[in-house]
């Protein structure tokens, strides 16, 4: 990935983006658009947590939460018994996630936090999860990112992204005519077929699929398992 792409995302989430998204992911005061995004993101988290709980083996698993934000996924997975390794490119986000984890789980929680961009994540985990992160990166960076994360997954890789469809592309174009305080970093959509192709080329097949659709939030969720 080009350095400027990482820098844009890192600087944003360590500055104005941190306060904005902490409010969106939490219970702070938000506007109508942000509240809708909060609802959608929560639904995506709930979908993924329900998938993992259905398998009834979370207590035996190591999970990498790549791009953990404020801990909205890592904390419920740790509550369910998983050993979680959570990282984010933003030091402020990781700090907030640690604060939330201690408040919810106590001082001796089973989440290991670190500051890292996606391509710098190391180690091997039963399950790697990357939710609502790819929207910040252009198509040219996706093959390298997805391949790297897939290589860290021993058995399963769960990923979500804003799907590239005619309707969503048109909606995004319309939104660009109305800049305002709800704007964040550049929002990128990605081809589902291309994401699946990358996963298949790296030894995975799709097991489960989900879709979260609200007025201002669209997220395609794929669960891929090693063949």
């Amino acid at each position: 990935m080009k350095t400027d792409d990482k820098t844009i995302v890192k600087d944003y989430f360590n500055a104005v983006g941190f306060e904005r998204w902490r409010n969106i992911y939490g219970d702070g005061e938000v506007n109508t658009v942000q509240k809708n995004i909060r609802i959608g993101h929560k639904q995506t988290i709930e979908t993924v947590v329900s998938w993992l709980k259905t398998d009834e083996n979370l207590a035996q698993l190591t999970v990498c939460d790549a791009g953990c934000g404020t801990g909205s996924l890592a904390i419920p997975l740790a509550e369910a018994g998983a050993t979680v390794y959570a990282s984010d490119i933003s030091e402020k986000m990781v700090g907030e996630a640690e604060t939330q984890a201690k408040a919810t789980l106590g001082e001796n929680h089973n989440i290991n936090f670190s500051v890292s961009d996606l391509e710098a994540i190391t180690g091997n985990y039963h399950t790697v999860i990357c939710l609502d992160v790819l929207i910040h990166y252009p198509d040219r960076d996706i093959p390298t990112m997805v391949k790297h994360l897939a290589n860290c997954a021993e058995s399963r890789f769960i990923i979500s992204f804003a799907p590239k469809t005619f309707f969503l592309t048109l909606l995004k174009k319309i939104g660009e005519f109305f800049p305002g305080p709800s704007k964040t970093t550049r929002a990128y959509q990605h081809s589902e077929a291309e994401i699946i192709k990358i996963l298949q080329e790296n030894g995975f097949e799709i097991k489960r699929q989900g879709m979260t659709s609200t007025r201002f939030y669209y997220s395609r969720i794929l669960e891929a398992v090693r063949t």
Side-chain angles (χ1 to χ4, degrees):
M1 181 194 300
K2 290 185 177 180
T3 303
D4 59 328
D5 291 322
K6 286 184 182 178
T7 301
I8 289 170
V9 175
K10 183 177 181 179
D11 289 350
Y12 173 75
F13 282 103
N14 275 323
V16 62
F18 168 68
E19 296 294 341
R20 181 172 294 161
W21 286 95
R22 180 174 64 173
N23 287 338
I24 291 174
Y25 292 153
D27 54 8
E29 185 177 344
V30 291
N31 60 35
T32 300
V33 173
Q34 293 167 339
K35 184 176 181 180
N36 188 266
I37 294 171
R38 174 190 288 170
I39 292 169
H41 179 72
K42 183 178 179 181
Q43 289 177 5
T44 294
I45 295 294
E46 289 173 346
T47 295
V48 172
V49 171
S50 70
W51 284 354
L52 271 63
K53 284 185 174 180
T54 297
D55 294 341
E56 298 183 344
N57 64 344
L58 263 175
Q60 288 78 50
L61 302 187
T62 55
V63 179
C64 172
D65 182 7
C68 66
T70 59
S72 53
L73 174 66
I75 292 171
L77 290 183
E79 279 187 301
T83 298
V84 182
Y85 296 83
S87 63
D88 198 280
I89 196 171
S90 166
E91 184 177 354
K92 282 195 172 183
M93 282 290 188
V94 171
E96 177 65 18
E98 288 187 286
T99 298
Q100 295 288 344
K102 289 177 181 178
T104 304
L105 305 171
E107 291 288 335
N108 299 317
H109 56 73
N110 50 326
I111 307 177
N112 301 278
F113 288 103
S114 64
V115 179
S116 174
D117 63 72
L118 297 186
E119 292 166 295
I121 290 173
T122 60
N124 293 297
Y125 313 89
H126 177 279
T127 298
V128 172
I129 305 175
C130 184
L131 300 183
D132 293 351
V133 176
L134 300 189
I135 193 171
H136 301 296
Y137 299 103
D139 282 337
R140 65 175 179 270
D141 299 326
I142 301 307
T144 300
M145 280 183 158
V146 174
K147 180 179 180 179
H148 175 72
L149 292 175
N151 286 339
C152 294
E154 296 174 346
S155 299
R156 175 171 52 195
F157 184 21
I158 299 175
I159 190 168
S160 76
F161 53 94
K164 186 179 292 184
T165 66
F166 174 78
F167 170 71
L168 293 183
T169 299
L170 178 61
L171 191 66
K172 182 174 180 290
K173 289 292 185 183
I174 294 173
E176 288 172 354
F177 287 106
F178 302 95
S182 296
K183 291 291 182 179
T184 59
T185 58
R186 292 169 291 181
Y188 296 98
Q189 299 164 278
H190 301 293
S191 163
E192 181 176 347
E194 287 300 313
I195 298 290
I196 292 175
K197 180 182 177 183
I198 296 168
L199 292 170
Q200 291 174 337
E201 290 174 347
N202 287 276
F204 287 84
E205 64 179 9
I206 304 303
K207 178 183 177 182
R208 284 182 279 210
Q209 302 178 46
M211 181 71 195
T212 304
S213 300
T214 65
R215 189 177 178 187
F216 297 106
Y217 174 97
Y218 298 87
S219 185
R220 186 63 161 158
I221 317 165
L222 301 176
E223 178 187 30
V225 296
R226 283 206 176 274
T227 55

